[in-house]
Amino acid sequence: MAPKVLVTGTTGYIGGDAFFALYDAHPEFEYTLVVRNEDRAKLVREKYPDTEHVKLVYGGPSASYVEVLEKEAAKTDVVLHTAESADDVSSATAISNGLLKSEGHSAENPVFWVHICGTGILQWYDQVNRRYGQPPLPSETYDDIASLPRLLTLPDEALHRDVDKVVLATNHFPSSPVQTSIVAPPTIYGAGRGPVNTTSQQLPSLARFVLQKGFAPKVGTGAVEWDNVHVTDVSSLLLQLVKIAALDPARARGDAELFGGQAYFFCANETPHVWSKVAEEIAQEAVKQRFLKEVLSKKVEMGEIPDKSWGTNSKCVASRARKFLGWAPKGPALEDEITGIVEFEANRIGAKKIGESA
Ligand SMILES: NC(=O)c1ccc[n+]([C@@H]2O[C@H](COP(=O)([O-])OP(=O)(O)OC[C@H]3O[C@@H](n4cnc5c(N)ncnc54)[C@H](OP(=O)(O)O)[C@@H]3O)[C@@H](O)[C@H]2O)c1
């Protein structure tokens, strides 16, 4: 029998791209995609007309979205959760409840949950200490093998930590039939291959800010650093984990480095970015494309920016996927995407080229 795989967030950027990779590699799996309503389902169905292998479910008058999620989670072999997954406690709780009631699974034959968090969780130190616009401290870098004990006990103030706790606790129920794997990507870039949203959040938001305000923002010293990864590299890691869970459950069950309460993966390349420098590169590109007259850089306060990550560090080392799965990022570099991001966002906000009439 084909493995049953439940996927959330296929109308989103990460889930859309990951499902593209998954279905492309394994069209024979029995997929259930949970979406928010009939209109979203129609958009996904247009891209995936295969009703034999791809089932679409959503809430409605008789059951809410989370009730559907819980019911479907109880019937699956593997979950890939991406829909607002890093922050929505109610969805994570519904999945946890469903999986703990799993039909046909036990501690000896578990169901697997691949969960998307984000390295925004690592901004906590700068946030709690209001340490804005400073370079990262050595203690702010987390390696997903060497720093695992710190990672699994981050303070409750950390972004996404409330959801992480729900996911991690699922492993520790007495005789739990569930084993989880948390994947935390940093800044993701590149065009997604999903049916609805194909763009990320952080870089497009920075490009819109530069185009609309006419300058590159710089918080504090301008030395705030994050890591990054191309969306196809995130999907390749998710594909590997789902494949192992679906096709080789004995390996998944027996390898605590891949599934269970210790399985925490970062998913980053080795070329971090400094936000103020990326903002300047965007401004240079905007000048090249004639959306701005000159490259200007200005200091801004945290209260003036739409995305707090430009002012607070997030530093990770993705050792686990490399060591235990042989994963290696292959996508183009972030800098190579800037031309396209400026073009796309300028078009999205209707920016006019210099000399063009409004
Ligand atoms: N993009 C990044 O760079 C990045 C990096 C690290 C972590 N993350 C995290 O990964 C997760 C997915 O990110 P994304 O970039 O794929 O986001 P996205 O493109 O905005 O997609 C979000 C998905 O979640 C669904 N959704 C939104 N709010 C929901 C809610 N309250 N309940 C249930 N479903 C909801 C959306 O459904 P509709 O289509 O119906 O709106 C959509 O399918 C998020 O938690 C994000 O914080 C993102």
Side-chain angles (χ1 to χ4, degrees):
M1 231 170 55
K4 292 188 265 223
V5 180
L6 179 73
V7 186
T8 72
T10 47
T11 54
Y13 177 58
I14 299 177
D17 196 76
F19 184 64
F20 174 90
L22 204 49
Y23 183 77
D24 189 52
H26 289 287
E28 78 284 8
F29 286 0
E30 211 180 289
Y31 295 104
T32 299
L33 312 183
V34 189
V35 293
R36 286 211 277 184
N37 56 49
E38 196 176 355
D39 291 343
R40 305 312 263 170
K42 275 188 196 144
L43 296 171
V44 180
R45 180 58 79 205
E46 276 168 27
K47 180 139 177 171
Y48 298 101
D50 173 6
T51 49
E52 190 190 336
H53 298 100
V54 181
K55 184 173 112 185
L56 285 151
V57 295
Y58 42 86
S62 58
S64 68
Y65 171 82
V66 284
E67 283 168 334
V68 169
L69 204 49
E70 179 170 335
K71 190 171 127 220
E72 294 297 331
K75 296 193 279 192
T76 197
D77 300 318
V78 184
V79 173
L80 172 59
H81 181 40
T82 77
E84 198 63 11
S85 51
D87 294 304
D88 187 26
V89 174
S90 61
S91 299
T93 305
I95 292 174
S96 168
N97 290 342
L99 294 178
L100 289 168
K101 287 187 277 196
S102 180
E103 294 162 15
H105 289 281
S106 61
E108 295 71 39
N109 174 29
V111 54
F112 299 98
W113 175 1
V114 179
H115 174 84
I116 293 288
C117 178
T119 65
I121 199 167
L122 306 179
Q123 298 169 103
W124 73 271
Y125 186 84
D126 287 349
Q127 281 168 342
V128 167
N129 295 290
R130 304 177 71 78
R131 191 182 166 274
Y132 303 134
Q134 302 300 310
L137 297 166
S139 60
E140 287 189 278
T141 296
Y142 291 77
D143 178 306
D144 56 8
I145 297 179
S147 322
L148 187 66
R150 284 202 298 146
L151 202 48
L152 296 177
T153 54
L154 287 170
D156 285 353
E157 295 96 321
L159 194 70
H160 315 319
R161 174 69 182 156
D162 49 355
V163 178
D164 265 18
K165 282 167 84 174
V166 173
V167 180
L168 291 167
T170 314
N171 295 280
H172 305 305
F173 267 79
S175 316
S176 175
V178 189
Q179 289 193 2
T180 67
S181 196
I182 296 181
V183 176
T187 297
I188 311 178
Y189 59 89
R193 296 163 292 176
V196 185
N197 182 27
T198 56
T199 58
S200 192
Q201 297 159 11
Q202 290 172 306
L203 287 164
S205 151
L206 182 57
R208 289 194 296 275
F209 186 96
V210 172
L211 287 162
Q212 284 166 334
K213 305 276 180 187
F215 64 86
K218 177 172 158 176
V219 184
T221 65
V224 169
E225 213 178 285
W226 271 61
D227 295 283
N228 58 74
V229 65
H230 194 272
V231 66
T232 52
D233 291 322
V234 178
S235 293
S236 76
L237 175 56
L238 296 175
L239 173 62
Q240 271 188 282
L241 286 167
V242 171
K243 252 175 108 154
I244 293 169
L247 298 176
D248 197 355
R251 175 180 174 201
R253 183 188 67 234
D255 192 341
E257 305 294 354
L258 302 183
F259 286 94
Q262 309 281 309
Y264 207 110
F265 288 85
F266 291 132
C267 176
N269 62 35
E270 283 162 337
T271 49
H273 61 279
V274 170
W275 281 115
S276 64
K277 294 217 166 69
V278 176
E280 276 178 25
E281 286 169 34
I282 288 173
Q284 280 157 9
E285 183 57 37
V287 170
K288 221 188 264 174
Q289 294 185 26
R290 296 198 295 115
F291 292 111
L292 296 181
K293 243 193 258 167
E294 57 184 334
V295 178
L296 291 176
S297 172
K298 270 195 204 170
K299 269 202 163 183
V300 289
E301 299 300 322
M302 287 295 273
E304 296 172 70
I305 54 176
D307 184 342
K308 304 305 169 218
S309 35
W310 308 345
T312 44
N313 295 284
S314 163
K315 294 295 304 150
C316 70
V317 181
S319 298
R320 179 172 299 277
R322 286 178 170 85
K323 179 167 179 185
F324 298 110
L325 292 169
W327 173 84
K330 298 189 176 80
L334 185 151
E335 283 70 24
D336 298 340
E337 302 281 318
I338 287 178
T339 303
I341 292 171
V342 171
E343 261 165 26
F344 191 92
E345 295 307 319
N347 185 40
R348 174 140 67 181
I349 61 173
K352 297 281 174 235
K353 296 208 184 222
I354 289 161
E356 259 180 19
S357 50

